[in-house]
Amino acid sequence: MFAVMAMPAWAQAKTSIEWWYANGGRIEEGIQKIIADFNKSQDDYEVVGIRKGNYEETFAAMIAAYRVGKHPTIIQSSERTFLTMIDSNAIVPVSELMTKYDYSIDWDNFVKPVADYYLEGDRPAAMPFNSSTAIFWYNADHFKAAGFDAPGETWDEVEKQLYAIKDQGVAKCGMVLDSDFYWSLIEGYASINDYPFGTKGNGFEGLDTEYVYNKTPVVKQVERLKRWIDDGIIQLAGQGLSPKQLYTSGTCSTIVTSTAAHAEVETNAKFDWSATYMPHETDVSPRNSNIGGAALWVLKGKSEAESAAAAAFLNHVAKPETQAYWAEWTGYVPVTNAAYEKMKSDGFFEKHPTREIAILQLTRGEPTVNSRGFRFGNSNQSSAILVEELQAVWTGKKTPQEALDSAVARGNQVLRQYEALNGGN
């Protein structure tokens, strides 16, 4: 008989888990570096990162895989899916996971507006990861040529500047609408100006919420955007160029989009560009802006070893060094105060001042019930409805009030369907 030899420790297989994510390009490069650094840092676990498409495609793939038990251990899911993830009974709250495996995470060190959004009761349900907010990007050469040092702080001031840029022939268009304009120029507008978007604290206080943005100055904002489109101030995109390309090419003077666009703007813009806070209405004191991006969720149905691997990886993600690298590489906001302080002490914001705008805007003042975020069931469906109705405004088929009334009525039907499926509150 042959003697049974014990396998040496180095030959023991690592526990491998999958993380499905939704970012491509430069951001994906950053994700893969975080994964590689973790895998090299220890010998017990291996994370395999797989891109499954955009947020909606990744989310749909996860649902299909979960139903047949082929799901990943970690999923990156956008902030809009929060309620669906919570009500799915398919997740392990990250606070529970980290405590179980003896990782000490200072949840109070996470940037408050970001951390509060992902709370289930008083415990974090997901690990904030790529958090963002919209900021106001501008072509400084265009503004200077038109006689302005920088964009004004209010929408009324910005309107005068954009019309001057066009009337003086400085640029072909003053602004281009980004593909996620409903998030930045409609939802973000409501947050910053402290206008209600829905009842029940924008959904935070119960599933029996209703949209009400058709009864607020959001109507005025849509009227303003329609006027700018009709007057040639806004370009909707086209000519084979994406909205961001219309900005970085110098065709359009401004764009309102995520701080995560830093990577693209820094790479492609060949003019003197800059960014500033989102404008606000003249008669209000601006509040914090709304968050975007996504968080990392841990799914049920995995072995103890796989769950332990997820906890170890999330502990790595939460480290100030990891968070600082991630924010510096991508343009997303640092989600912990420790990472933010590290970036400041390293002099990063002195060299890249526009990178600090998002976190300063997110943490401006104390969040109100209108500015702390949106927590609506099946919000992707309601957002698609809103975009569809706004397209009817841009093409002249509906007035702003008609479109918003219709969007609210249709959106409220989606909310009632979600409430019925999830038992209400």
Side-chain angles (χ1 to χ4, degrees):
M1 295 180 62
F2 293 100
V4 177
M5 301 288 291
M7 295 291 287
W10 55 263
Q12 295 177 4
K14 292 183 177 183
T15 298
S16 180
I17 63 171
E18 290 186 355
W19 167 22
W20 290 3
Y21 60 85
N23 300 117
R26 180 181 171 90
I27 295 174
E28 182 175 21
E29 293 177 31
I31 287 174
Q32 288 294 342
K33 184 179 187 305
I34 290 174
I35 292 173
D37 288 348
F38 171 74
N39 289 342
K40 292 176 184 177
S41 71
Q42 42 72 49
D43 298 322
D44 298 321
Y45 311 116
E46 179 183 41
V47 174
V48 178
I50 302 173
R51 185 173 185 238
K52 288 289 183 175
N54 61 28
Y55 285 129
E56 291 189 9
E57 291 165 342
T58 301
F59 190 69
M62 180 271 294
I63 292 174
Y66 192 88
R67 289 171 178 165
V68 296
K70 302 293 185 181
H71 55 284
T73 305
I74 300 173
I75 180 76
Q76 179 198 28
S77 194
S78 74
E79 92 285 351
R80 292 180 178 277
T81 65
F82 179 88
L83 272 183
T84 303
M85 294 298 289
I86 289 296
D87 293 332
S88 69
N89 195 35
I91 63 104
V92 180
V94 291
S95 57
E96 177 184 310
L97 179 83
M98 304 308 278
T99 298
K100 178 178 180 179
Y101 293 103
D102 295 325
Y103 291 104
S104 179
I105 302 291
D106 183 3
W107 300 109
D108 290 336
N109 191 252
F110 281 75
V111 175
K112 185 173 175 56
V114 176
D116 285 357
Y117 186 85
Y118 292 106
L119 290 178
E120 180 191 14
D122 59 356
R123 64 177 183 171
M127 175 77 74
F129 181 56
N130 56 311
S131 291
S132 64
T133 198
I135 59 177
F136 193 88
W137 301 80
Y138 65 98
N139 185 319
D141 289 337
H142 287 183
F143 274 75
K144 183 178 180 180
F148 307 111
D149 293 330
E153 295 182 5
T154 69
W155 282 109
D156 288 342
E157 292 174 301
V158 167
E159 178 169 88
K160 293 176 182 177
Q161 293 172 325
L162 295 184
Y163 274 82
I165 287 172
K166 179 179 183 296
D167 292 343
Q168 294 177 32
V170 173
K172 293 181 179 179
C173 78
M175 176 181 286
V176 57
L177 282 191
D178 200 14
S179 56
D180 60 0
F181 68 89
Y182 63 91
W183 166 65
S184 57
L185 288 170
I186 305 298
E187 294 175 347
Y189 171 85
S191 293
I192 289 172
N193 289 284
D194 203 17
Y195 302 141
F197 207 75
T199 60
K200 296 284 184 176
N202 285 341
F204 273 73
E205 299 163 11
L207 294 183
D208 54 337
T209 178
E210 293 185 343
Y211 292 113
V212 295
Y213 54 80
N214 61 326
K215 301 176 182 177
T216 76
V218 165
V219 179
K220 173 183 176 181
Q221 172 74 334
V222 175
E223 291 172 344
R224 173 188 289 126
L225 296 175
K226 169 61 173 171
R227 182 171 66 252
W228 290 3
I229 290 171
D230 289 347
D231 292 345
I233 300 300
I234 283 180
Q235 185 165 325
L236 298 177
Q239 301 175 344
L241 297 177
S242 71
K244 290 184 183 66
Q245 288 173 325
L246 282 170
Y247 171 69
T248 58
S249 68
T251 302
C252 296
S253 300
T254 66
I255 186 172
V256 174
T257 193
S258 169
T259 182
H262 267 100
E264 183 171 345
V265 174
E266 288 170 349
T267 300
N268 298 324
K270 306 306 180 186
F271 49 83
D272 184 13
W273 62 270
S274 191
T276 188
Y277 294 88
M278 288 283 292
H280 57 86
E281 292 295 354
T282 304
D283 58 348
V284 305
S285 297
R287 298 288 185 171
N288 63 285
S289 53
N290 55 320
I291 72 164
L296 303 184
W297 300 78
V298 177
L299 300 175
K300 290 180 178 179
K302 295 298 179 178
S303 68
E304 283 291 325
E306 289 169 319
S307 296
F313 179 65
L314 292 184
N315 185 63
H316 174 76
V317 170
K319 290 180 178 179
E321 298 80 9
T322 306
Q323 286 296 323
Y325 159 76
W326 175 242
E328 290 175 8
W329 179 260
T330 63
Y332 284 113
V333 299
V335 297
T336 65
N337 292 312
Y340 178 42
E341 292 302 324
K342 174 175 171 47
M343 293 170 71
K344 285 199 293 185
S345 64
D346 290 345
F348 180 78
F349 296 120
E350 292 179 10
K351 297 177 182 177
H352 308 276
T354 59
R355 295 293 197 97
E356 195 173 16
I357 294 167
I359 192 167
L360 293 175
Q361 185 175 261
L362 272 174
T363 57
R364 179 172 53 191
E366 187 69 21
T368 70
V369 294
N370 297 324
S371 70
R372 62 182 168 178
F374 308 94
R375 194 169 285 182
F376 301 111
N378 287 338
S379 62
N380 281 337
Q381 289 180 243
S382 298
S383 297
I385 288 170
L386 175 58
V387 170
E388 178 186 315
E389 293 290 348
L390 290 175
Q391 295 293 351
V393 176
W394 307 157
T395 57
K397 296 177 181 178
K398 290 186 178 182
T399 67
Q401 189 67 65
E402 288 171 342
L404 294 178
D405 286 346
S406 179
V408 164
R410 296 171 64 191
N412 284 340
Q413 290 179 349
V414 172
L415 292 178
R416 299 291 71 78
Q417 292 167 359
Y418 186 87
E419 182 183 15
L421 288 172
N422 291 278
N425 267 10

